[in-house]
Amino acid sequence: MLRRPTVAAKAAPVRPAPPPRPARAPAPPNYRTASGPFVAPIKQAPERASATVTVNGMVSSRLNKRMAELGLCSRREADDWIAQGWVKVNGQVAEMGVQVLPTDRIDVDKVAQGFQEQRVTILLHKPMGYVSGQAEDGHTPAVALINPRTHWRDDPSRNRFSPPQLRGLAPAGRLDIDSVGLLVLTQDGRVARQLIGEDSTVDKEYLVRVVYQAPGQAVPRHPSERSAPLQEIDERDPVSTNVQAVFPPELLDRLRHGLSLDGEPLKPAKVDWQNPEQLRFVLTEGKKRQIRRMCELVGLKVVGLKRIRIGRVTLGNLPVGQWRYLSPNERF
């Protein structure tokens, strides 16, 4: 009887024992230990740097903010100038982020002033179908209209167009895609801050064509006179002629003061009838689609909107789709 030879089993290799795991360091005080070995951080709100107050009660501020407040430039420009060493505080070259007092003397190198003088501000008569800022939903931005072919030939400015003028050229304020009129595009941070800064007080004037959608009734001027047209108003048949005759005066007062948008009361506005179908608005603020939304709150629908003035600068005879330079003697 044959037997299989017995083969000795190979012994498994002996692995060295792993080194002992070091003891876990205690969690920092701003950590919370969850059940098990997981340690989760506790998110804490960053501490805001408090303003430095001197003995005399004066509050310091960052240099770039102070330069913007003085109208020297925008904050971004200030940072660029400081990085270039073009800004001195009390005779010493300033460092980025330095705090200054209202009494500190700030000097800017002439080199920086020269760069600023080369920056242009452009006034465009924006047509419908163009967006004010970046391209969106396939619509063309208004800056695409700034080229030699669309430069108004009656522009009194001596400036001549060159491609570098498009660098950093941005709208200082919005104008909806369906709105037309004066749009400001600028390379100058001082102009941008003046028009759209938080403390801006520059007013803007608009001509607004409206129809009336709310129910109401016109009041005859005199028993012997013919009644105003479209006395009976229906929401399905809005009044588009002689809107002034049927629009309640108390609602016009609400347009001037008393409305709120996004939970915040609006600043007082000047609103008057220019003709029976057109209102004139003068605003000192510019919330998104503000005039259209204001009108909707009182039963009006905007069917045409044109901006004709920003501060002391008017649209004038500038043709639709053309532009001109802001001249040196013009101020908003």
Side-chain angles (χ1 to χ4, degrees), residues 4-265:
R4 292 182 178 179
T6 304
V7 179
K10 294 182 178 180
V14 179
R15 297 180 179 179
R21 179 177 296 179
R24 185 184 298 275
N30 64 332
Y31 274 62
R32 177 178 61 248
T33 305
S35 58
F38 175 72
V39 178
I42 300 175
K43 292 184 178 180
Q44 295 181 343
E47 295 183 2
R48 294 184 178 180
S50 57
T52 304
V53 182
T54 68
V55 178
N56 296 329
M58 293 185 293
V59 181
S60 68
S61 59
R62 288 176 64 93
L63 177 57
N64 61 355
K65 180 181 179 182
R66 180 59 180 163
M67 292 174 66
E69 291 173 346
L70 294 173
L72 299 174
C73 58
S74 68
R75 291 194 188 188
R76 181 177 298 179
E77 287 173 328
D79 288 338
D80 292 340
W81 295 357
I82 296 169
Q84 294 288 342
W86 294 341
V87 181
K88 292 182 178 181
V89 177
N90 298 327
Q92 300 295 323
V93 176
E95 297 181 357
M96 193 70 69
V98 66
Q99 295 278 327
V100 296
L101 297 171
T103 54
D104 289 331
R105 189 181 78 255
I106 299 173
D107 298 312
V108 178
D109 195 282
K110 292 182 179 180
V111 176
Q113 297 174 357
F115 275 104
Q116 197 171 50
E117 291 173 358
Q118 296 175 7
R119 299 186 175 184
V120 299
T121 296
I122 286 174
L123 310 176
L124 170 69
H125 189 161
K126 189 188 88 67
M128 291 182 62
Y130 288 82
V131 292
S132 298
Q134 299 295 324
E136 56 185 54
D137 300 329
H139 298 295
T140 306
V143 71
L145 291 170
I146 310 303
N147 58 67
R149 297 185 304 276
T150 54
H151 186 193
W152 187 32
R153 65 179 182 181
D154 293 331
D155 186 353
S157 172
R158 296 181 179 180
N159 284 351
R160 292 296 177 263
F161 176 80
S162 62
Q165 294 172 357
L166 297 176
R167 295 177 191 160
L169 189 67
R174 63 170 64 93
L175 198 58
D176 296 336
I177 187 172
D178 296 324
S179 303
V180 302
L182 182 58
L183 179 66
V184 177
L185 301 106
T186 186
Q187 294 177 315
D188 194 334
R190 297 170 301 176
V191 174
R193 187 177 185 275
Q194 182 184 9
L195 298 185
I196 59 177
E198 295 179 358
D199 55 351
S200 175
T201 57
V202 177
D203 60 353
K204 292 95 175 174
E205 183 176 350
Y206 304 82
L207 297 180
V208 185
R209 187 174 180 84
V210 295
V211 297
Y212 188 38
Q213 295 181 305
Q217 185 174 356
V219 179
R221 299 179 182 179
H222 189 272
S224 61
E225 292 181 345
R226 185 176 179 179
S227 299
L230 294 175
Q231 289 187 29
E232 297 298 330
I233 305 169
D234 190 274
E235 291 182 348
R236 295 167 297 180
D237 184 20
V239 177
S240 58
T241 59
N242 204 359
V243 182
Q244 181 180 4
V246 296
F247 188 65
E250 59 271 19
L251 293 184
L252 184 64
D253 291 335
R254 287 197 65 199
L255 281 174
R256 293 168 177 158
H257 195 209
L259 296 178
S260 297
L261 291 178
D262 305 323
E264 296 181 357

Side-chain angles (χ1 to χ4, degrees), residues 251-295:
L251 293 184
L252 184 64
D253 291 335
R254 287 197 65 199
L255 281 174
R256 293 168 177 158
H257 195 209
L259 296 178
S260 297
L261 291 178
D262 305 323
E264 296 181 357
L266 296 175
K267 296 179 181 179
K270 296 179 182 178
V271 186
D272 299 289
W273 289 103
Q274 287 292 103
N275 60 52
E277 291 84 36
Q278 186 170 268
L279 287 165
R280 169 182 167 269
F281 278 73
V282 179
L283 306 178
T284 56
E285 57 187 340
K287 294 182 179 294
K288 187 175 182 179
R289 300 179 66 86
Q290 178 172 337
I291 292 179
R292 298 175 191 273
R293 295 164 66 192
M294 289 173 66
C295 288

